Amino acid sequence: MRSTWTLSLTAAALLAGCGAEPPAEAPAAPETPESVATAEAPLDADLAPYFDAIPTNFTTNYRVVGTYTPPSWSWGQIELLEGRQRFRSEYYNPRTLKLRDQDTFQSSDYPLKTYFGSLNQQLVNAFNVYYGNSCATTAGATCPTPGPTKPEARFVLLHKGRATAARTCNVNLTPTLLVHGAIQDANVWMFPNGNNGSGGTYGGAAQLTGMVQDLESKGRCVYAVTFGSFHGDNFNHAIHVANAVQRVKALHPGVARVDVVAWSKGVLAVDPWLANAATWGGFSTTRFFERLAKEQASQVPAYDDSVRVYVPLSGPHKGIDLNFRHPIHTLTIASTASNAPVGRGPMPWTYFSAFQCVTFGYSVPWFNNPYAESVCKDSGGVWTDYFRRIYLSNITGLSSTGTPVSSSTLLTLNTSQGLSASSFKFDDYNMSLFGAVNDSGKYVTAYPGQLQAAYDLRGTYPIPDRSASAWDNIDPDENRYFPWLDTKLIYNPYNPFFAAGYMESSDHRVCRTTAFDPVGSPCFAYHAQPLYETTDRNVEAYDSLGYGKYRIMHGLGMAAAMEMGGKFITRLAEHGLDSRLKSLYVLYGTTGGSQPFETDGMTSTTSALRSDGVLFEASIAAMTQLTQGWTSTKKTADAKQEGMAYDHLSMGITPAVWNKISAHFVSRD
């Protein structure tokens, strides 16, 4: 458990000279006219509510709002940047907001406040440079929305390494910008296993320092961004990357370009900018989410030849369907109260049956976690509660124009299943990837970036039949999820010789494909009606013995996810990176790690693992996609792809990977 937590936190999911630094308060001068997005263009009335207001107190692409100086053992300085482009509004639930020291989960087994509390607090303090709210440091205080724990989409943090802030790095070398992924922030590049301020790491991990210190020790100046939401919109993040690169260039007036390293979901913040998203075509003119995506893409600044080397580390260039194909991951997210990093992910289900919760959802106060509360708590423990539905979304589908359809509120859906109204909070239950329609009738999701990344990869990596016991120690679904369902259904307290229930299909692939196609491949269980229950809640049919037929989970399906993500991966796959990019170095992991999350790349116990334990090889080793439109000569000279024997959660925090990147930088100096 300890090692899994540490890896999750790192993941879902780089000395000479000095120079004068421009004042931190001074906004950068605008770049070439084409790099300024058309922020003032009018919006269609139905799209307007989904975008924040454009700042009117400055006219350049971005401005530096101010700076925050962390403790001496941490970053050298953090700048708060504000973009002037039109940003899609970000929505936060308790699992995606920025954490303060006081929010950090703490127990004797997991002393995260000791190792990550101060680092979390530094992020909130830096965003609070704009908000100036005492809630950021007041114990027990709830910050407003928006506020320092839930900043508006137009804000991003730009971190400077200690040598970089002190200008003791070589300011004449090409500086580096680091871009984090989901469930991460910039701290993963400096302290991948935390820091207690005295040199200690979480769980006694050997690796204290990160890529920031490594690159600075080699003389390079290093910067990193922290997005307001780590599951946030990828177009928003692409705008921030473009602005951050311009800011770094302004801090190095004698340097023409910046090196960019992105990890995991972070590549989806870089790819659209380097692929000139504003020029993308093919969006539907009638479907709501594609119209929304077209407007968002138009706001990404045109690429302006500002990047020298781009290093994508195990990023989902061709999308991800991890949680769609592995029920155990989704159930862990829904029912996790203690392992908060896992609990901060999205779910592809809109509801699921409470009988799955037992032994997964905690019901004791010392596991309480303010940002990953378990919706499984106290659920599914008795027969009367087995098939109560826990609703994570109230969306039932998309209309003829692609807008979300709902027939009831999320509150009503859950209270009709027996939940007390006092136990319901919209933000706590709105955990589905698909989001929900709130009480004001507005569609909101805390996971827009994950919707954009969703893509059906079954054509390349089919879901295998792993019901044989030989896979129990490899496939987490076979090892935990299906055995638990079978055991729970069979258990009969009244007659242990007579099974209380059974799965409809012995082929576990049926349940594994439910998230992809809940109508065409639903996952059902049959169960006997308890003697003390007068009605079977949510029963859909009966077998010849009178067993009730129950749907275990439901969702909107992969096709809806891709549409609600604006068909982001589809559009991205159609466009290569700008051929002015001086160098592309694709680095990806080739091993699944000790506990791989993604195992479907294996077709037998002896075949090579075609994933890094989270993402499939076809998605992370996507040089062909990224270099489409390049001449063969340029591909040979400026594009390189290499696999390394590390898993997804190690690619950004391993010295051997850093050395590869540093060597490539030197080759381009």
Side-chain angles (χ1 to χ4, degrees):
M1 185 73 163
R2 183 182 296 272
S3 62
T4 300
W5 190 323
T6 306
L7 287 173
S8 297
L9 281 167
T10 65
L14 297 144
L15 292 179
C18 60
E21 178 178 358
E25 299 78 19
E31 300 297 318
T32 55
E34 64 269 22
S35 71
V36 180
T38 56
E40 290 76 19
L43 281 170
D44 292 343
D46 61 335
L47 299 182
Y50 294 91
F51 291 87
D52 290 342
I54 300 169
T56 58
N57 56 336
F58 63 99
T59 58
T60 50
N61 269 5
Y62 73 91
R63 69 166 182 141
V64 180
V65 178
T67 61
Y68 167 75
T69 302
S72 59
W73 53 266
S74 186
W75 294 93
Q77 189 184 66
I78 305 176
E79 293 185 348
L80 178 63
L81 304 185
E82 179 180 15
R84 194 182 180 275
Q85 297 84 354
R86 178 181 283 135
F87 289 87
R88 179 179 174 179
S89 302
E90 295 281 13
Y91 162 79
Y92 299 84
N93 64 21
R95 296 167 175 243
T96 60
L97 53 74
K98 285 286 173 285
L99 304 180
R100 300 164 291 182
D101 181 282
Q102 67 195 67
D103 296 327
T104 307
F105 178 77
Q106 180 81 352
S107 75
S108 58
D109 290 330
Y110 302 106
L112 295 186
K113 187 170 184 178
T114 301
Y115 295 98
F116 292 97
S118 177
L119 293 171
N120 290 335
Q121 186 67 55
Q122 292 166 31
L123 303 178
V124 174
N125 290 347
F127 280 111
N128 206 35
V129 167
Y130 175 80
Y131 295 102
N133 196 308
S134 61
C135 71
T137 54
T138 303
T142 299
C143 288
T145 304
T149 61
K150 293 170 282 189
E152 289 152 290
R154 68 181 184 274
F155 294 111
V156 69
L157 303 181
L158 181 66
H159 303 245
K160 304 174 186 177
R162 296 207 60 77
T164 302
R167 311 299 280 177
T168 56
C169 56
N170 188 340
V171 297
N172 297 312
L173 284 177
T174 302
T176 303
L177 177 69
L178 306 174
V179 183
H180 69 82
I183 320 183
Q184 294 179 334
D185 50 57
N187 290 324
V188 75
W189 299 110
M190 177 165 272
F191 300 117
N193 294 293
N195 190 315
N196 62 3
S198 301
T201 62
Y202 175 72
Q207 189 64 44
L208 169 62
T209 57
M211 193 173 179
V212 175
Q213 295 95 321
D214 182 79
L215 286 175
E216 285 192 331
S217 72
K218 297 167 183 173
R220 297 192 180 273
C221 302
V222 188
Y223 302 82
V225 291
T226 287
F227 302 117
S229 171
F230 45 69
H231 285 309
D233 184 273
N234 293 311
F235 288 119
N236 285 351
H237 292 180
I239 296 171
H240 283 313
V241 169
N243 289 345
V245 166
Q246 297 309 319
R247 175 57 180 163
V248 172
K249 285 178 61 178
L251 293 169
H252 296 261
V255 176
R257 297 179 182 87
V258 176
D259 293 333
V260 176
V261 180
W263 185 11
S264 193
K265 182 180 176 291
V267 307
L268 299 185
V270 182
D271 286 3
W273 176 46
L274 297 185
N276 290 296
T279 67
W280 293 358
F283 294 107
S284 169
T285 59
T286 59
R287 306 293 290 180
F288 174 78
F289 286 103
E290 290 196 66
R291 291 171 51 232
L292 182 68
K294 181 180 180 181
E295 175 58 38
Q296 292 178 270
S298 74
Q299 299 301 296
V300 179
Y303 176 64
D304 55 359
D305 196 18
S306 291
V307 176
R308 185 186 70 151
V309 176
Y310 172 34
V311 183
L313 296 174
S314 284
H317 305 280
K318 291 188 177 180
I320 179 173
D321 62 7
L322 174 68
N323 284 349
F324 281 82
R325 61 172 66 220
H326 291 290
I328 183 64
H329 300 330
T330 288
L331 180 58
T332 302
I333 290 169
S335 61
T336 296
S338 64
N339 193 349
V342 173
R344 297 172 83 186
M347 294 180 59
W349 302 340
T350 54
Y351 71 71
F352 65 101
S353 296
F355 95 103
Q356 299 176 81
C357 290
V358 177
T359 77
F360 284 98
Y362 296 108
S363 300
V364 289
W366 53 86
F367 278 114
N368 182 55
N369 187 315
Y371 60 95
E373 186 62 66
S374 170
V375 296
C376 273
K377 182 179 179 182
D378 299 322
S379 300
V382 295
W383 276 4
T384 54
D385 197 43
Y386 265 20
F387 295 101
R388 176 174 67 87
R389 290 175 178 173
I390 299 176
Y391 283 91
L392 310 170
S393 173
N394 59 347
I395 300 174
T396 57
L398 301 179
S399 72
S400 60
T401 59
T403 56
V405 174
S406 62
S407 58
S408 183
T409 67
L410 199 54
L411 169 63
T412 299
L413 287 173
N414 281 286
T415 54
S416 68
Q417 294 290 311
L419 184 75
S420 66
S422 61
S423 298
F424 175 85
K425 292 182 180 179
F426 179 84
D427 288 350
D428 290 347
Y429 277 78
N430 184 17
M431 294 176 6
S432 173
L433 176 77
F434 298 101
V437 176
N438 66 18
D439 294 343
S440 300
K442 183 178 180 180
Y443 166 72
V444 289
T445 175
Y447 310 104
Q450 299 292 356
L451 272 174
Q452 291 165 337
Y455 195 79
D456 192 346
L457 291 163
R458 288 177 297 171
T460 305
Y461 303 97
I463 294 178
D465 181 3
R466 295 224 178 110
S467 44
S469 60
W471 286 90
D472 283 359
N473 64 338
I474 298 174
D475 190 323
D477 292 298
E478 295 300 332
N479 188 36
R480 295 182 61 197
Y481 186 77
F482 294 112
W484 169 241
L485 295 189
D486 290 339
T487 302
K488 185 78 181 293
L489 287 169
I490 292 171
Y491 173 66
N492 188 339
Y494 299 108
N495 186 348
F497 302 102
F498 188 75
Y502 60 93
M503 296 293 291
E504 180 186 46
S505 175
S506 60
D507 185 348
H508 294 167
R509 288 174 294 186
V510 173
C511 288
R512 289 194 60 188
T513 58
T514 290
F516 288 95
D517 184 8
V519 176
S521 181
C523 180
F524 285 107
Y526 283 87
H527 200 262
Q529 181 178 359
L531 297 176
Y532 47 79
E533 185 176 353
T534 57
T535 61
D536 275 351
R537 178 184 291 149
N538 300 316
V539 67
E540 296 192 21
Y542 295 93
D543 70 1
S544 60
L545 298 176
Y547 282 58
K549 182 180 182 180
Y550 300 91
R551 193 180 300 261
I552 298 177
M553 78 282 279
H554 200 265
L556 299 181
M558 175 56 86
M562 292 168 62
E563 178 169 348
M564 294 173 77
K567 297 187 176 178
F568 179 91
I569 295 297
T570 301
R571 298 285 86 83
L572 180 64
E574 296 170 347
H575 299 85
L577 307 182
D578 195 299
S579 60
R580 289 175 292 173
L581 177 66
K582 304 308 176 186
S583 177
L584 171 67
Y585 185 23
V586 179
L587 270 178
Y588 64 97
T590 61
T591 65
S594 59
Q595 293 180 321
F597 296 97
E598 181 55 78
T599 57
D600 284 358
M602 300 178 73
T603 56
S604 74
T605 55
T606 58
S607 67
L609 181 65
R610 298 300 181 186
S611 82
D612 63 2
V614 173
L615 299 172
F616 285 124
E617 184 180 68
S619 193
I620 55 182
M623 188 174 71
T624 300
Q625 171 181 309
L626 298 173
T627 59
Q628 60 183 297
W630 291 23
T631 66
S632 58
T633 300
K634 179 170 179 59
K635 289 180 184 179
T636 300
D638 298 329
K640 179 181 179 181
Q641 182 165 274
E642 185 173 0
M644 299 187 70
Y646 297 101
D647 64 272
H648 185 85
L649 303 179
S650 299
M651 283 301 292
I653 65 168
T654 302
V657 179
W658 307 337
N659 290 337
K660 286 276 189 181
I661 295 172
S662 293
H664 189 74
F665 287 168
V666 171
S667 73
R668 291 282 166 163
D669 286 343

